[in-house]
Amino acid sequence: MHRAAITTVAFLALIAALPLAQGEVPADETRITLRDEFLRIINHDRVANGLTPVALDPRASAMADDYCRDQIRNGTTGHFGLDGLTPYMRYSFAGGNDGVSENAAAWSATYRFSDRALYDMIQRSERAMIGERAPHDGHRRTILDPTATHVGIGLAWQRGEFRLTQEFIRHYVDWTHPLPRTASENDRTSGTARPLNGYRVEAVSVHHEPLPRPLTAAAANTIDEYSLPEKRRDYLPRLRTYRQQRGDAVYEVREQYADGRRGDFTVGTDGAFTFNVPFVDGPGIYTVVIWVRGRSGTPIAASNVSIRVDRAPAASFGAIGGGTK
C-alpha cells in the first residue's frame, strides 16, 4: 500500500485572436461537442501509452462544470476556490464515492472565444500536460494513471476566460450504504461497500485535517498542488479464526498480522464489508480511502470520501422548578 502525492499544476496561457462564433453564454451543443472531443484526445493518449480508455463520468463532469464556472466568477485558477476545499473534498461533497485525481488548466484573453479557439485550447492543454517530463510531470501521470476507469471533464468560458478540469475517477467499489458527508464528533458513522468482482478490500486509511478556511482569490491562485494529509490511521480486515485437525487433536487457529493485530472490520464471503469511521482526532475533515487489490497485485486507492466533522453540540439540561408554599 502506498500514498503518492497528487501534483497537478494549473497554468495560464494566451492564444491568438480568432473570429467570434457564438455569444457569451456557452451553448449546450458546443459543450457536448468539446467534451466528446476532449475524451477522444485523452483516450488517444492513454491507448498510445498501452493503457485502456476511460469512460465519461457525467456526475463528475457536472461537478467539474460548476467548479469551472465558479473559477471564472471568482477569478481563480487551479485546484482551489474561495471555499478552500481540496479537489477530493469538492468531488466527495458533490456526491462522489470513488477515488479521484484532478488536472486543471486556465486560459485568458482580451476577446471572446470562438468554437475553433475553444477546440484549440483543449487540444493545446492536453499536449502541454502529456508532454511533461519527470520529475515535473504531475499532469501526465494523472492522465496515464493505469487504475483510472472514468473521467469527468469540466468546461466553462466567459468574457475571454476559459477553465477546464479533468477529474480522473477510480471506480472499484460499489456502495450499498454510502458514508455521510457531515457528522458530529460523537456520531457513530459507518458505510457498507463491496469491491467489484476480481478485487478485494485490503485496508482502509482515514486521513484527518483541519476544517478548510476561506481563501482570497490571490491566495487560492498561489497553490499549485495538493495531496492527502500525512496524518492518518490505517485499519485492516479482520483475520479468520478456524479449527484445524492434526492427527487426533483439533486446534483453534487465530490468524494475526505481523504486529499482532487481528484486524478491525469484518469482510463477508462475497467481499462486502462495513466500516465504522472513528472520529478520534476531533473536528475536521476525515477522508476515507478504501484500498483494494486485484489480480495485478497493485493496491488501488478506490475512494476519497470526505466527511466534515463538527464539534458535538454542548449538552443542555432542562431545569425542573419547584414551588414554595
Side-chain angles (χ1 to χ4, degrees):
M1 184 173 61
H2 69 286
R3 185 185 69 80
I6 306 166
T7 305
T8 50
V9 182
F11 59 91
L12 187 68
L14 300 177
I15 64 170
L18 292 171
L20 180 65
Q22 63 182 43
E24 190 170 288
V25 178
D28 289 340
E29 183 177 349
T30 300
R31 185 184 304 279
I32 292 170
T33 301
L34 285 173
R35 185 171 282 138
D36 288 346
E37 180 60 20
F38 208 177
L39 178 64
R40 185 195 67 78
I41 295 170
I42 290 167
N43 281 330
H44 174 272
D45 288 334
R46 288 180 60 86
V47 171
N49 285 274
L51 302 175
T52 57
V54 290
L56 185 69
D57 187 315
R59 170 181 285 193
S61 295
M63 178 275 295
D65 282 345
D66 288 342
Y67 175 59
C68 289
R69 294 187 191 102
D70 285 343
Q71 284 192 306
I72 293 176
R73 185 180 306 114
N74 297 321
T76 57
T77 62
H79 301 298
F80 287 82
L82 302 185
D83 55 15
L85 298 181
T86 64
Y88 54 84
M89 294 178 195
R90 189 164 54 247
Y91 169 73
S92 182
F93 293 158
N97 290 300
D98 300 312
V100 63
S101 299
E102 178 180 90
N103 281 340
W107 295 73
S108 293
T110 57
Y111 50 83
R112 298 175 183 176
F113 297 123
S114 68
D115 289 358
R116 180 177 175 180
L118 293 170
Y119 171 78
D120 184 58
M121 284 184 289
I122 64 170
Q123 191 174 51
R124 291 174 64 180
S125 297
E126 179 75 7
R127 296 280 71 77
M129 291 188 284
I130 204 69
E132 293 173 343
R133 293 292 178 262
H136 306 295
D137 60 342
H139 291 100
R140 176 183 172 86
R141 287 186 286 110
T142 299
I143 294 169
L144 300 182
D145 177 2
T147 67
T149 58
H150 297 73
V151 66
I153 296 173
L155 301 165
W157 60 97
Q158 188 176 17
R159 295 189 303 274
E161 293 293 330
F162 180 68
R163 302 289 186 273
L164 68 84
T165 67
Q166 301 169 332
E167 314 292 338
F168 283 91
I169 306 300
R170 299 178 294 277
H171 176 68
Y172 292 89
V173 172
D174 287 332
W175 293 81
T176 54
H177 178 66
L179 290 164
R181 298 314 192 257
T182 60
S184 70
E185 58 184 333
N186 291 340
D187 289 345
R188 288 183 56 84
T189 297
S190 65
T192 301
R194 183 173 68 83
L196 302 185
N197 290 338
Y199 295 89
R200 68 182 188 278
V201 61
E202 183 169 89
V204 177
S205 298
V206 180
H207 299 252
H208 178 264
E209 59 194 294
L211 294 171
R213 295 183 178 181
L215 298 171
T216 64
N221 293 344
T222 63
I223 307 173
D224 59 9
E225 64 181 28
Y226 71 95
S227 66
L228 287 166
E230 293 290 339
K231 184 177 182 180
R232 81 183 209 188
R233 298 174 187 267
D234 295 326
Y235 303 90
L236 301 172
R238 190 162 182 81
L239 295 177
R240 299 179 303 157
T241 296
Y242 59 93
R243 294 190 175 189
Q244 185 178 72
Q245 185 166 353
R246 296 178 185 173
D248 295 331
V250 177
Y251 298 88
E252 183 177 79
V253 179
R254 294 165 60 88
E255 295 179 334
Q256 64 182 33
Y257 293 101
D259 61 1
R261 296 165 61 188
R262 301 206 60 239
D264 307 288
F265 58 93
T266 301
V267 179
T269 55
D270 63 349
F273 62 96
T274 297
F275 179 72
N276 298 308
V277 185
F279 302 137
V280 293
D281 295 304
I285 301 293
Y286 289 76
T287 299
V288 180
V289 180
I290 307 297
W291 291 92
V292 301
R293 190 185 293 269
R295 286 181 288 272
S296 70
T298 302
I300 301 169
S303 77
N304 293 119
V305 179
S306 295
I307 306 170
R308 179 190 172 105
V309 177
D310 292 295
R311 194 169 300 283
S316 61
F317 300 93
I320 301 176
T324 58
K325 295 184 178 178

